[in-house]
Amino acid sequence: MSFEIKIWGCRGSIPVSSPDHLKFGGSTACIEININGNVVIIDAGSGIRELGTELLKRGTRTAHLLLSHGHYDHIMGLPFFYPVYKADMQLHLWSGHTNCNPCTHDIISDFMREPYLPVSLDIMQANMNFYDVKEGAEIDLGNGITAVSCATNHPGGCFAWRVTDGKQSFVYWSDHEHGNDEVDARLTQFATGADVLIYDAMYTDDEYPSKKKGFGHSTWRKGCEFAQKAGVKQLLLFHHAPERTDNQLEAIEAMAHKIFAGASAARDGQIIKLD
Ligand SMILES: [Zn+2]
Ligand SMILES: [Zn+2]
């Protein structure tokens, strides 16, 4: 039995590349959860390109892709996820944050068209199955793996996801603005007891109230608070602001670690093995 999580992209908003972004990486949101060889992907940010290359190498021909929402930083990598051009690939895509307005298929097809992109969904030869899910409905991803969603507080809607094999569990709680007590409590409950929690830690305490309130994101300190309340084992700070340098992230990581011992800042390429 193995339960492995790999970070393929942990940046928020837009991919970045500079000498100040080498340690934590510059690709946008993409996480792979590999449970006994079964691949569940959360979000298709720019980091999914490299994951696609890796899946082709491994010979993986089936994957589930859970979308938190349709903002560019979470879907922009999909046209560059090369398995979608392979006729023997099965890709199951799930979302539900819009309540089917638009549905999952249209979220993707609307962004993949001229004049924004030269390729459309029709060119993708993979067998792509689109599903629309209701918040809180448990979905069966096969081989004993299930996923369930919980709505976050984010412009246009967004889902947090909890993926489990019945033993280990992983919670992806990104693109969320704290401050609505009821929503925060529901999500804390949702994350309870997770082995690993990924949280939207885009801002610092200084930035948030003065400039960023209402933008739909949170702070690393709130992440520590929720992680403690939810009794999770590990917290990964995620959705790093594009301008956040490696040095700043290391400083944030050190401060977060003092508040919550299981806290660290996510970095591209990082692998977490649960047993
Ligand atoms: Zn985002
Ligand atoms: Zn967003």
Side-chain angles (χ1 to χ4, degrees), residues 13 69 73-74 175 217 239:
S13 304
H69 63 315
D73 50 332
H74 299 257
D175 293 59
H217 296 286
H239 208 280

Side-chain angles (χ1 to χ4, degrees), residues 1 20 64-65 72 102 128 147 151 158 167 173 202 205 207 237 253 266:
M1 295 291 279
D20 288 328
H64 288 274
L65 171 58
Y72 283 138
M128 294 170 75
C158 178
K167 192 168 158 250
W173 174 1
M202 192 162 184
D205 291 346
E207 290 162 349
L237 305 170
E253 187 171 56

Side-chain angles (χ1 to χ4, degrees), residues 123-167:
I123 292 169
M124 296 182 163
Q125 289 165 34
N127 191 352
M128 294 170 75
N129 304 287
F130 296 88
Y131 308 92
D132 302 289
V133 291
K134 291 251 177 286
E135 185 197 1
E138 188 179 89
I139 58 178
D140 183 357
L141 304 181
N143 299 312
I145 304 164
T146 57
V148 64
S149 56
C150 186
T152 74
N153 177 29
H154 193 65
C158 178
F159 272 0
W161 286 103
R162 184 174 180 125
V163 176
T164 182
D165 62 352
K167 192 168 158 250

Side-chain angles (χ1 to χ4, degrees), residues 217-244:
H217 296 286
S218 190
T219 67
W220 61 266
R221 195 179 293 275
K222 274 284 162 191
C224 292
E225 187 187 313
F226 293 140
Q228 257 165 349
K229 272 192 199 156
V232 307
K233 292 192 186 122
Q234 267 195 71
L235 165 68
L236 288 179
L237 305 170
F238 185 78
H239 208 280
H240 307 313
E243 62 276 13
R244 196 81 63 220

Side-chain angles (χ1 to χ4, degrees), residues 95-261:
S95 87
H97 63 291
T98 58
N99 222 357
C100 228
N101 184 27
C103 291
T104 307
H105 176 275
D106 293 349
I107 290 170
I108 301 301
S109 65
D110 285 357
F111 119 93
M112 289 192 53
R113 63 180 169 89
E114 293 280 13
Y116 309 107
L117 204 71
V119 296
S120 67
L121 207 48
D122 318 334
I123 292 169
M124 296 182 163
Q125 289 165 34
N127 191 352
M128 294 170 75
N129 304 287
F130 296 88
Y131 308 92
D132 302 289
V133 291
K134 291 251 177 286
E135 185 197 1
E138 188 179 89
I139 58 178
D140 183 357
L141 304 181
N143 299 312
I145 304 164
T146 57
V148 64
S149 56
C150 186
T152 74
N153 177 29
H154 193 65
C158 178
F159 272 0
W161 286 103
R162 184 174 180 125
V163 176
T164 182
D165 62 352
K167 192 168 158 250
Q168 318 281 3
S169 50
F170 167 80
V171 173
Y172 178 87
W173 174 1
S174 187
D175 293 59
H176 169 72
E177 181 159 357
H178 61 273
N180 178 321
D181 291 345
E182 194 194 317
V183 178
D184 289 349
R186 213 152 39 84
L187 280 154
T188 306
Q189 177 66 33
F190 179 76
T192 295
D195 293 277
V196 177
L197 166 66
I198 275 190
Y199 185 77
D200 179 343
M202 192 162 184
Y203 302 134
T204 63
D205 291 346
D206 287 345
E207 290 162 349
Y208 175 71
S210 59
K211 290 180 274 181
K212 309 292 187 183
K213 213 169 178 175
F215 282 26
H217 296 286
S218 190
T219 67
W220 61 266
R221 195 179 293 275
K222 274 284 162 191
C224 292
E225 187 187 313
F226 293 140
Q228 257 165 349
K229 272 192 199 156
V232 307
K233 292 192 186 122
Q234 267 195 71
L235 165 68
L236 288 179
L237 305 170
F238 185 78
H239 208 280
H240 307 313
E243 62 276 13
R244 196 81 63 220
T245 64
D246 288 335
N247 288 346
Q248 289 168 339
L249 279 169
E250 279 176 341
I252 286 171
E253 187 171 56
M255 288 187 284
H257 186 73
K258 276 187 196 155
I259 296 173
F260 180 68

